[in-house]
Amino acid sequence: MEMPGGLAMAEPGEDRDGLTLDRLHVPLGPFLADWPAGLTLRVVLQGDVVQRADLDDPPAGGPADPFWSRPWLRATTGEPVCVGEAARRRAAAHLDSLGRLLSVAGWPSEAVTARRLRDDLLEEAPASAILPRAERFTRRVGRSRTLYWLTRGVGLLSAADARAASVTGPAVRAAGGDVPARYRQWLTEVMDAVRQLDATAPLNPVAQESPRGRWDAERPPSAALVKLLPRLLVGAELGAARLVVASLDPDPDELTACRLEVARG
């Protein structure tokens, strides 16, 4: 039986402690605040604990050239793209992800800082203007004990499991595998990218990764990230589940572009 709006009624079931609690079927996304736009997860909740999570296919009609990966797409077609342009897009993408995570974690002031840095990068601000601000931001966030204690141990993902799922990019390099490890990896890579903003060497799209990992138009890096979500979310409280999604931050536009490539083939 469904309730208004398509929500299923709660039904009883045993939870992990052996108690019988109502199960509620709830969609997360695609228009949830500070959530990857277009991503939809359908979860079964008992209390506030996720018992099951299923991923919806991304909606058709999205962009054929996902914004954050556009320099790598252009480079794979033979168009000349310099390392500095790709580094600017990578740093902005990581700041966009950090803004989402910090907002979900309840630190809106630093979320705003991340988004302002992102916007300035996209508006071609020079490295000399970005670097000192990025250093202050990464130092504040990376050293925050409150943020660390709030998120430690959430969304544990071992390097072996990440590689087995074909994950590349920051998620597989994040030693420790939890939410703090992933946001600290983003911070490290933001600084690395900002220091390359003036690089003029040509981009090698195979050797130099896009923001979410090694670029492959047939299997973009976000495809591996979304496949991890159902397993990582089961057993997590709803607030922790949102932190897990924010710390991986798959790009649904990459998945749409992948579907378009398959359809054209």
Side-chain angles (χ1 to χ4, degrees):
M1 181 175 179
E2 290 190 348
M3 298 171 65
L7 293 176
M9 289 188 67
E11 58 187 27
E14 287 192 359
D15 78 342
R16 57 188 175 182
D17 297 318
L19 302 174
T20 299
L21 299 173
D22 283 343
R23 289 178 175 171
L24 186 62
H25 298 255
V26 179
L28 298 180
F31 305 114
L32 192 62
D34 299 307
W35 182 266
L39 180 71
T40 303
L41 284 163
R42 300 191 179 273
V43 300
V44 178
L45 295 176
Q46 280 187 304
D48 63 350
V49 177
V50 177
Q51 300 292 326
R52 177 174 173 177
D54 296 299
L55 184 72
D56 276 6
D57 287 334
D65 57 340
F67 178 77
W68 298 117
S69 306
R70 193 171 293 166
W72 288 265
L73 277 164
R74 289 166 47 213
T76 57
T77 65
E79 183 177 340
V81 179
C82 71
V83 167
E85 179 185 350
R88 184 175 292 273
R89 190 64 58 95
R90 187 188 301 110
H94 291 334
L95 287 162
D96 184 69
S97 297
L98 283 159
R100 229 181 324 273
L101 186 142
L102 291 167
S103 184
V104 171
W107 201 356
S109 61
E110 288 308 313
V112 169
T113 300
R115 288 162 175 162
R116 285 175 176 166
L117 280 166
R118 172 203 65 192
D119 292 348
D120 288 347
L121 279 163
L122 295 176
E123 291 172 4
E124 303 294 327
S128 59
I130 294 291
L131 184 59
R133 295 166 55 206
E135 287 176 335
R136 287 194 296 271
F137 169 76
T138 57
R139 188 164 52 246
R140 280 195 304 269
V141 174
R143 294 180 181 178
S144 171
R145 293 185 179 182
T146 301
L147 182 62
Y148 171 75
W149 284 97
L150 177 69
T151 58
R152 67 172 185 155
V154 175
L156 284 168
L157 174 65
S158 70
D161 286 345
R163 285 192 293 268
S166 300
V167 173
T168 57
V172 80
R173 289 190 288 273
D178 59 358
V179 169
R182 289 192 283 274
Y183 73 67
R184 285 171 171 171
Q185 184 65 34
W186 277 335
L187 293 170
T188 297
E189 298 197 15
V190 165
M191 292 309 306
D192 290 344
V194 168
R195 293 186 179 105
Q196 298 179 57
L197 292 184
D198 296 327
T200 57
L203 173 68
N204 180 337
V206 176
Q208 294 159 308
E209 290 183 337
S210 67
R212 288 164 175 86
R214 189 178 309 114
W215 180 253
D216 182 340
E218 294 183 0
R219 184 178 172 78
S222 288
L225 294 176
V226 296
K227 286 191 174 181
L228 287 173
L229 289 177
R231 180 172 62 82
L232 288 179
L233 297 186
V234 170
E237 295 180 354
L238 186 56
R242 291 209 57 191
L243 285 168
V244 173
V245 174
S247 72
L248 290 170
D249 200 30
D251 183 2
D253 287 348
E254 290 186 358
L255 309 183
T256 303
C258 175
R259 290 175 64 194
L260 288 172
E261 287 295 326
V262 171
R264 288 171 183 156

